[in-house]
Each structure stands twice: as structure tokens, then as C-alpha cells.
Amino acid sequence: RLSDGKGGLTPITDESDPETIFDGAIAGYKNEDGETIELLTRDDIAMLIDCCDYDEEEAVIDIVFLDSHFDDDGGRRRRTGGSSSDPLRNFTVTKQSVSLHNGYAINSLSYNNHFTQFVSTGYDKRTVLYDVAKKKVLWSDTGSNAVLSSSYSPVRDHFLVGDWDGVIRLFDATKDVTKIKKRSTFKVPGSNIWHTEYFPCGGLFVASGTKKGTNVFDIVTRKIVANYDVGSDVFDSTIVNRTVVAHAPDASPHCIKLFDIRGGNSSYPALHGHTDTIWSLQTSASGNEILSSGIDGTVVIHDLRTGKPTLTITASTLAVDRAIFAGGQQQYVVTGARDFTVKIWDTLSGSLHRTHSVGQSG
């Protein structure tokens, strides 16, 4: 339904007339200067009507277990047994599907340090702690608005969740996981918190979102110790040592920006390599590389020492929502794309090793 701005609601169905709706009061408002502000175009109305025919599947989490043993021989990739030249041994896949958010979209998923439990958040305003081995929900919490992000502490059983209304809550799961308590609350007024991530030390975390860019919080004092305006909303960010790495999806050209928190707002040269919005960022274990993926279907490894891309992989014709390093020497990259595939790539040659389809519920 669309509001007419006067308390009334106009229902939209697949039989609605775009012209009739567009010519109604919902088409525009007058601002304080008396200017008419058009909120919806005819194309917008037509798209809304088309969406009425869309029967969305229930949102579920597919836990895909890649039971693979990555060869790890100092990065030389030499097989230790058998005659096959395949660097991935005994690659098997099992899948466990769970519905945790009442059919609403799932916004984030973060594992604990032992990969035995994860926290998921969704548009149903819920935060859920799930035990993978026991296949059961251990705890859940319902907030006042959609929950967009989550992050597990690298040093203790604490986790953060960020809300649509700019509130970040820290929960303590060190004792009874069925009675988790809220430990602290942090606020970024006027912002949607799309991403949270702990620093390796566990004493700081970065929160990124709309309007306020990227902020670094001190967990003890609950104060913002650094703020970085990257020029637009920020949907993902990561940490390299004491450096905050963020991207501005609406900025042009599409690039990754780096900020050193020891030097205030001082920044390094931007990293380039994508032609459209960047969706995910990850730091290598050495701290020398950044892995990024985006809407253009590419995955890029950036060398922070030179500021240049060392590898670009065209992973899909559709958006690649997530990419992570894998293997003891991080000699592989695993990608998840909107064509419902999980793929494993060689980081030296860029060649594809394995493809697994997770189906349209993935």
C-alpha cells in the first residue's frame, strides 16, 4: 500500500492502473518552499504493480558444509598422496536448511570462534543464536526494528547486532546461552547499521551504515573514537591492523578507501578494480591483501603494499555477494553469487576448482 501523506492508504494490486495511481495525491508533495517533489515516477508505479505477481519463497539459511581438506604445504600445493593433481581432497558437500526468521529476509550471519554456533539477524526484528551440531535455536531476542548486522568477538563469547534505527547492542554469551543478557548499547542517531566488525584486539569495533559513514567505537567507554565520511552510505567495512577499510557504493568511481585510526582522518590512496557497487570485503591473514566482490560479478585481490590489484576473477554474470579466503595459506577464494552457486578458485592462477549449486533457497 502507498500512503497519500494524509493518513490514507492506497492499495496496490496486480490489476491497478498506473496512470490512476500516479495522478493521485501520492505522486508528489509540496515542500516548505511550495515546490512539488515527485516521489514516484510512472515506471516506479508500474514496477510496484509487477511486484504484486511475485510470490517470494520463504527465506531460509542453508548451512552448506564443505567437508574439504585443503592441501597446505607452504603454499606449494604439492599433493601428499595419490595420483590426482586436484589440490582439493575428499571434497564432499552436505546441507542443513533451517528457517529462523518467519519467512523474512535474513540480513546477516556470524559464527562464533569455534564454528559451533552462529547469530543470524533479519527484517523480522529478531536476533537468533543457533547451534549447528544440536540443530536447535538456543536463544532469540526481538528488537524494536529490523536487525541488519551482526559480529562475533574474536576473543570472547560476545556478539554485536546493529539495527535499522542506529542502535548497536552488545550481548554476553559467556555463561548460559539460553539466558543471554544485553551488556551495552551504542548509538549512531539517524543511521541504519549495515555492518559491524570487531578489531582483532576485541576492544574496538567498527560500525558502518547510512548518513554517518563509518565509526570506530571503544567498547569500554562506549564512545566513538574515530569517524570517517566516505561520501555515501557504507554497507561493508573491515579491519587491517589499525586501519579501517570501507567502500562507498554510491560513489563514482567505485573504490575502496582506507583510513588509519592512528592518524585521525588521514587516508591511504583508494583501491580500484570494480565497475559497480562493492558488496563484500575481507582481509587476508597476513594483513597484506584485501579481497573484494561486487555487483559486477568480479572478485579482486588488492595488494595493500602496492595499492594494485594482483588478481581479478570474473566469478559470475550476476552479483557476487560474498567472497572469503580459504586454506591454511589462503591459496583459495570461495565465492557466493546470485546465481545460487558456491565456487572455489585458485588465488595464484585464478582457475576454477569446484562449483556447488545451493539451489534457489540458498
Side-chain angles (χ1 to χ4, degrees):
R1 299 183 181 186
L2 296 180
S3 169
D4 63 3
K6 303 173 183 177
L9 293 174
T10 301
I12 304 294
T13 72
D14 57 351
E15 298 178 351
S16 297
D17 179 13
E19 293 299 321
T20 300
I21 296 174
F22 181 76
D23 291 338
I26 61 167
Y29 294 98
K30 291 187 181 296
N31 63 16
E32 295 178 352
D33 297 326
E35 300 170 324
T36 299
I37 307 299
E38 186 177 272
L39 299 181
L40 294 169
T41 66
R42 286 176 172 81
D43 288 341
D44 293 332
I45 296 293
M47 182 181 69
L48 288 172
I49 293 172
D50 288 341
C51 287
C52 293
D53 291 327
Y54 178 60
D55 184 16
E56 185 175 2
E57 293 186 22
E58 182 180 15
V60 301
I61 296 173
D62 278 353
I63 309 167
V64 180
F65 298 93
L66 303 179
D67 184 16
S68 56
H69 302 279
F70 293 100
D71 277 339
D72 186 6
D73 187 29
R76 293 189 292 273
R77 323 264 176 75
R78 186 184 67 224
R79 270 189 71 83
T80 57
S83 58
S84 172
S85 60
D86 190 344
L88 299 176
R89 301 196 304 274
N90 305 323
F91 184 91
T92 58
V93 176
T94 55
K95 186 171 72 172
Q96 178 187 140
S97 296
V98 292
S99 179
L100 301 177
H101 291 276
N102 305 313
Y104 285 80
I106 300 159
N107 292 321
S108 74
L109 189 150
S110 301
Y111 272 95
N112 65 357
N113 297 323
H114 306 293
F115 292 94
T116 56
Q117 301 166 1
F118 65 76
V119 170
S120 64
T121 65
Y123 275 113
D124 61 346
K125 306 179 183 180
R126 297 178 72 229
T127 299
V128 177
L129 179 63
Y130 184 82
D131 190 296
V132 176
K134 296 179 180 178
K135 300 181 180 180
K136 62 181 294 187
V137 173
L138 301 177
W139 169 90
S140 67
D141 175 77
T142 302
S144 60
N145 218 319
V147 191
L148 305 177
S149 59
S150 60
S151 177
Y152 241 104
S153 168
V155 295
R156 56 180 61 89
D157 286 327
H158 291 177
F159 58 86
L160 297 163
V161 296
D163 294 351
W164 184 271
D165 52 8
V167 176
I168 304 160
R169 292 170 290 157
L170 188 154
F171 291 96
D172 187 341
T174 55
K175 297 181 180 179
D176 187 350
V177 294
T178 64
K179 299 179 181 179
I180 294 175
K181 301 295 184 182
K182 183 174 67 175
R183 185 182 180 94
S184 303
T185 300
F186 309 83
K187 294 183 179 181
V188 186
S191 180
N192 310 137
I193 307 300
W194 284 105
H195 181 78
T196 53
E197 183 172 336
Y198 279 92
F199 276 70
C201 64
L204 302 171
F205 71 87
V206 60
S208 301
T210 58
K211 298 182 181 179
K212 301 294 182 179
T214 297
N215 296 282
V216 177
F217 281 89
D218 185 304
I219 290 178
V220 175
T221 65
R222 292 187 289 180
K223 293 183 178 180
I224 295 175
V225 297
N227 169 263
Y228 309 107
D229 183 0
V230 299
S232 78
D233 301 344
V234 179
F235 291 110
D236 199 4
S237 54
T238 188
I239 312 297
V240 183
N241 298 321
R242 301 286 289 184
T243 303
V244 175
V245 183
H247 67 90
D250 294 330
S252 182
H254 300 279
C255 63
I256 301 167
K257 297 186 178 181
L258 296 86
F259 302 91
D260 189 339
I261 68 170
R262 293 166 297 187
N265 278 330
S266 62
S267 63
Y268 299 100
L271 304 177
H272 299 271
H274 289 276
T275 60
D276 208 328
T277 299
I278 300 166
W279 275 126
S280 79
L281 299 171
Q282 193 198 18
T283 308
S284 67
S286 66
N288 293 327
E289 292 88 24
I290 292 291
L291 176 65
S292 62
S293 68
I295 284 182
D296 58 5
T298 62
V299 175
V300 182
I301 298 178
H302 310 264
D303 191 321
L304 293 178
R305 295 162 294 189
T306 65
K308 304 292 185 181
T310 58
L311 179 67
T312 299
I313 300 171
T314 301
S316 175
T317 57
L318 301 178
V320 178
D321 286 332
R322 196 69 178 167
I324 61 171
F325 285 110
Q329 299 293 324
Q330 302 200 330
Q331 62 268 45
Y332 303 103
V333 165
V334 181
T335 61
R338 295 191 188 180
D339 57 4
F340 308 109
T341 60
V342 174
K343 298 179 180 180
I344 299 180
W345 307 82
D346 186 296
T347 56
L348 287 184
S349 65
S351 59
L352 176 63
H353 280 299
R354 286 286 191 275
T355 299
H356 173 64
S357 176
V358 297
Q360 291 196 6
S361 63

